[in-house]
Amino acid sequence: MGKIILTGDRPTGRLHVGHYVGSLRRRVELQNSGEFDKIYIMIADAQALTDNADNPEKIRQNLIEVALDYLACGIDPSQCTIFVQSQVPELCELAFYYMNLVTVQRLQRNPTVKAEIQMRGFSDNDTEDTASQNKKGTPVGFFTYPISQASDITAFRATTVPAGEDQEPMVEQTREIVRKFNSTYGETLVEPEILLPTNAACLRLPGTDGKAKMSKSLGNCIYLSDTEEDVRKSIMSMFTDPDHLRVEDPGKVEGNTVFTYLDAFCRPEHFASYLPDYADLDELKAHYRRGGLGDVKVKKFLNAILQEELKPIRERRQKFAQDIPAVYDMLKKGCEEARKAAASTLEDVRKAMQINYFDDSELIAAQSLRFKEQQ
Ligand code: TRP
């Protein structure tokens, strides 16, 4: 059996540099490596709706933004199948069967779901009183999205899920569902593995304010579609070491956002191009720690690197945005292809569960005999 990738993103906003170093950059490398037989990239609109039921317009708008971000990064529809989750109804059917293999208690232990319920402020005390104060309980669809994600992954017989650290509990739950399914109904599904970024900075790139999470509402993101000037402004106002007041003061690089971004983006050749006084990042960090290196100089270096990386992405995005109907058409073709693959897995699943009654001539013969014998 060959190697197959399935991964995706919720279309709740444009994609940012956190998505880029956490997963997008890697996907393009994997695509170009030729190591995989199939690569599926899914825009998880149905998952996005699990906590945006009242805002379908937001998802509609961002669907095309995410598709453009993919194309801009170099994901190539002639090598990858890019598709939209809601257009593959087979995924719902799989999830419906997997629901019987997972307990409520197991879902409650999923650390990512736990953290997200906290973050979204869903109340565990959803009575008529609290509902009127806008303290709503957790939507069932949201609570069970790890099961739906197991369908996404297994429907395509994915072996490999390149994703961020927050997706680890989802892939672990998927593996459990696969084992449970296979031991109950016979060897049918493929157990996937997550492929995490190897570099700690890429695993969890902080917001420009140093906060752990990049989020639109905090205004601490650098988007792939930001203008050159937006990017420069974000970098020049980045959080650094609050105790590094004068250039001659010694500074800390740990927890210093500018250095975390350099860890994620900087390559040795950037020094030759933009900062030839230093051989590599270690030398730059050593100087900052000693004192005598100002924040502005480091920020300008980071700006040069990011601009170099983002410029071609921005330009490709603008080019693809000139023909939006072609982008929808590409997605539609991707959905058709994805449906075929998912339908073939679903057929195996129904067969394993022995609910493929009308294809099962042995069943029909056996039942027919049983009733004859009763006469
Ligand atoms: N949960 C992912 C996110 O929040 C999106 C997603 C849905 C996904 N299904 C997936 C990722 C399957 C990897 C594999 O971005």
Side-chain angles (χ1 to χ4, degrees), residues 107-150:
L107 275 175
Q108 277 168 336
R109 283 199 305 271
N110 185 305
T112 298
V113 175
K114 249 186 176 166
E116 286 175 332
I117 286 174
Q118 272 274 320
M119 217 161 63
R120 284 161 177 73
F122 293 136
S123 167
D124 54 9
N125 177 26
D126 178 7
T127 61
E128 265 176 55
D129 283 357
T130 52
S132 65
Q133 294 159 26
N134 242 343
K135 283 179 97 185
K136 298 236 165 63
T138 311
V140 173
F142 181 82
F143 179 62
T144 55
Y145 90 73
I147 301 176
S148 136
Q149 197 156 333

Side-chain angles (χ1 to χ4, degrees), residues 312-326:
I313 295 178
R314 191 184 303 124
E315 287 174 356
R316 273 198 299 268
R317 202 179 195 279
Q318 279 161 359
K319 203 188 88 215
F320 284 112
Q322 280 167 15
D323 193 355
I324 292 295

Side-chain angles (χ1 to χ4, degrees), residues 137-170:
T138 311
V140 173
F142 181 82
F143 179 62
T144 55
Y145 90 73
I147 301 176
S148 136
Q149 197 156 333
S151 309
D152 304 337
I153 296 169
T154 55
F156 301 96
R157 308 179 209 274
T159 53
T160 314
V161 181
E165 209 178 16
D166 59 331
Q167 299 304 306
E168 222 167 359
M170 305 305 160

Side-chain angles (χ1 to χ4, degrees), residues 45-166:
D45 63 334
Q47 188 177 108
L49 284 165
T50 62
D51 66 330
N52 284 285
D54 53 355
N55 203 353
E57 190 53 29
K58 172 169 128 187
I59 310 305
R60 251 165 95 83
Q61 295 295 331
N62 284 307
L63 183 91
I64 191 77
E65 298 279 1
V66 170
L68 285 173
D69 285 328
Y70 286 167
L71 295 170
C73 287
I75 293 175
D76 173 3
S78 76
Q79 298 183 69
C80 301
T81 304
I82 307 176
F83 71 99
V84 182
Q85 187 183 28
S86 64
Q87 305 307 299
V88 184
E90 286 77 7
L91 297 174
C92 300
E93 192 174 331
L94 281 176
F96 197 65
Y97 301 137
Y98 295 169
M99 282 192 180
N100 306 330
L101 308 176
V102 181
T103 64
V104 171
Q105 291 69 25
R106 174 63 183 87
L107 275 175
Q108 277 168 336
R109 283 199 305 271
N110 185 305
T112 298
V113 175
K114 249 186 176 166
E116 286 175 332
I117 286 174
Q118 272 274 320
M119 217 161 63
R120 284 161 177 73
F122 293 136
S123 167
D124 54 9
N125 177 26
D126 178 7
T127 61
E128 265 176 55
D129 283 357
T130 52
S132 65
Q133 294 159 26
N134 242 343
K135 283 179 97 185
K136 298 236 165 63
T138 311
V140 173
F142 181 82
F143 179 62
T144 55
Y145 90 73
I147 301 176
S148 136
Q149 197 156 333
S151 309
D152 304 337
I153 296 169
T154 55
F156 301 96
R157 308 179 209 274
T159 53
T160 314
V161 181
E165 209 178 16
D166 59 331

Side-chain angles (χ1 to χ4, degrees), residues 311-355:
K311 186 167 187 251
I313 295 178
R314 191 184 303 124
E315 287 174 356
R316 273 198 299 268
R317 202 179 195 279
Q318 279 161 359
K319 203 188 88 215
F320 284 112
Q322 280 167 15
D323 193 355
I324 292 295
V327 179
Y328 279 107
D329 203 47
M330 175 279 289
L331 289 176
K332 188 172 171 219
K333 290 207 178 80
C335 292
E336 285 161 8
E337 223 184 292
R339 266 199 92 166
K340 274 191 210 139
S344 141
T345 305
L346 184 58
E347 203 180 300
D348 292 352
V349 161
R350 286 161 156 260
K351 194 166 170 198
M353 294 175 69
Q354 297 185 296
I355 54 173

Side-chain angles (χ1 to χ4, degrees), residues 206-261:
T208 54
D209 56 358
K211 293 220 169 73
K213 211 165 158 65
M214 258 191 238
S215 99
K216 192 174 169 185
S217 54
L218 292 173
N220 62 359
C221 304
I222 298 177
Y223 293 100
L224 296 173
S225 46
D226 276 351
T227 63
E228 186 175 341
E229 184 53 18
D230 290 337
V231 174
R232 196 190 63 82
K233 276 196 197 138
S234 293
I235 292 173
M236 296 319 281
S237 63
M238 247 182 193
F239 178 82
T240 59
D241 171 5
D243 300 323
H244 184 247
L245 299 173
R246 289 161 307 173
V247 172
E248 55 277 23
D249 290 339
K252 276 198 293 292
V253 301
E254 289 76 24
N256 183 324
T257 314
V258 180
F259 280 97
T260 309
Y261 274 59

